[in-house]
């Protein structure tokens, strides 16, 4: 595997003494060339600080950063083969779209004809032909995001860093841009490092995901791996909906001291062969499925029931019988 980015024991502490905050704590990570890699975690988990250290905007206080086999730990941003797309687009409002896209080439003193030609090529690549003469205020949020992408790509970086780039878009446009970003990354074949706190975004787009929590990597894996076999309780809770069972409830329902059971793996059925039974205490309609919460074994277990023609959903207070296969249960270690 050819490494595009390598972090070797990278850490970052802000402040000194008793007031010091350790934002990133000894991260080891290798991102392959051509990979769509996502750092996923809640706000304040350290993922954006990692991106900023790779981009050169923040210097690590421990460890080394390598890009394409070159040690860039102390190198300034302009000396690194990376570029960054931010959530707020960071476009120049007084410049045309064409000049915004061509700006990195202007800084490098590339001649006007060449940079305008390249800008138009990149605008076509991100499906915005013919808008070069407009200003950012004349474009929609999704269009401005595409312009920011084109500008980041015009200098042909080895690695594109994307810091929650879709966070300001509405749901439908965000889903559209997710598909477009993944298709663009496959077409270009360059490494994308994507930062998000949105688990659905991470699962749908990534080749691999790194789950961040409190400055540490909790788990690395494919979307399927982190969803089906979370390494810790935090990952089980954070990635998708989950029943995380502990103590007597876990032992009674699964035979493990601590276990995870995804709601969509649970079905309703007859009393014979049921793994659990109890009254429904809550019903939530989500369109494609209905989520019910059932009191059983001293805890609440949620089940996601798919919407099917003619299906009659249980009502609060109704006793139901829950079924699942042994393979639906994922045991969590006591230390996790």
């Amino acid at each position: 595997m050819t490494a595009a980015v390598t972090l070797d024991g990278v850490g970052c502490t802000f402040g000194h003494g008793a007031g010091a905050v350790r934002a990133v704590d000894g991260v080891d990570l290798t991102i392959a060339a051509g990979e769509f890699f996502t750092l996923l975690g809640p706000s304040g988990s350290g993922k954006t600080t990692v991106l900023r250290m790779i981009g050169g905007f923040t210097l690590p206080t421990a460890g080394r950063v390598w890009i394409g086999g070159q040690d860039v730990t102390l190198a300034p941003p302009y000396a690194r083969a990376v570029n960054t797309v931010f959530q707020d687009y960071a476009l120049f409002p007084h410049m045309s779209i064409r000049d915004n896209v061509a700006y990195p080439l202007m800084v490098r003193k590339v001649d006007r004809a060449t940079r305008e030609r390249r800008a138009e090529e990149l605008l076509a690549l991100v499906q915005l032909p013919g808008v070069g003469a407009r200003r950012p205020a004349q474009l929609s949020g999704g269009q401005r995001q595409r312009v920011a992408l084109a500008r980041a790509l015009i200098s042909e970086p080895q690695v594109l860093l994307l810091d929650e780039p879709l966070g300001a878009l509405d749901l439908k446009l965000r889903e559209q841009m997710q598909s477009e970003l993944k298709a663009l990354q496959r077409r270009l074949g360059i490494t994308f490092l994507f930062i998000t706190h949105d688990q659905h975004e991470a699962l749908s787009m990534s080749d691999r995901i790194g789950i961040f929590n409190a400055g540490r990597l909790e788990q690395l894996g494919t979307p399927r791996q982190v969803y089906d076999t979370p390494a810790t309780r935090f990952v089980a809770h954070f990635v998708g909906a989950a029943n995380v069972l502990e103590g007597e409830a876990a032992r009674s329902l699964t035979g493990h001291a601590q276990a995870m059971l995804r709601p969509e793996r649970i079905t309703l059925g007859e009393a014979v062969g049921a793994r659990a039974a109890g009254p429904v205490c809550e019903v939530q309609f989500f369109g494609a499925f209905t989520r019910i919460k059932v009191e059983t074994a001293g805890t609440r277990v949620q089940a996601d029931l798919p919407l099917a023609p003619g299906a009659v959903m249980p009502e609060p207070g109704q006793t139901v019988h829950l079924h699942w296969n042994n393979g639906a249960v994922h045991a969590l270690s006591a230390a996790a």
Side-chain angles (χ1 to χ4, degrees), residues 36-58 82-90 145 148-149 151-152 159-169 174 181 191-198 201 205 212:
F36 196 121
F37 188 92
T38 296
L39 285 180
L40 173 67
S43 297
S45 60
K47 59 190 187 299
T48 294
T49 302
V50 169
L51 178 139
R52 290 181 62 83
M53 288 190 288
I54 294 170
F57 304 109
T58 297
V82 302
N83 223 329
T84 307
V85 178
F86 298 100
Q87 182 176 338
D88 62 0
Y89 319 133
Q145 188 57 269
L149 269 171
R151 183 181 60 186
V159 181
L160 187 64
L161 308 176
L162 301 108
D163 187 10
E164 307 235 20
L166 310 182
L169 305 180
R174 192 160 70 242
L181 267 179
T191 305
F192 276 28
L193 173 55
F194 191 89
I195 304 294
T196 186
H197 62 271
D198 186 320
E201 215 163 68
M205 299 171 68
F212 245 78

Side-chain angles (χ1 to χ4, degrees), residues 223-230 260 262 264-265 330:
R224 189 65 183 263
Q225 286 169 341
V226 299
Y227 186 82
D228 285 345
T229 56
M260 181 204 72
R262 295 289 184 193
E264 70 272 15
R265 306 291 295 274
H330 172 66

Side-chain angles (χ1 to χ4, degrees), residues 203-222:
L203 291 171
S204 67
M205 299 171 68
S206 312
D207 296 319
R208 283 192 306 151
I209 299 172
I211 311 294
F212 245 78
N213 180 37
R216 293 177 177 271
L217 268 175
E218 294 253 338
Q219 186 172 359
L220 281 172
T222 65

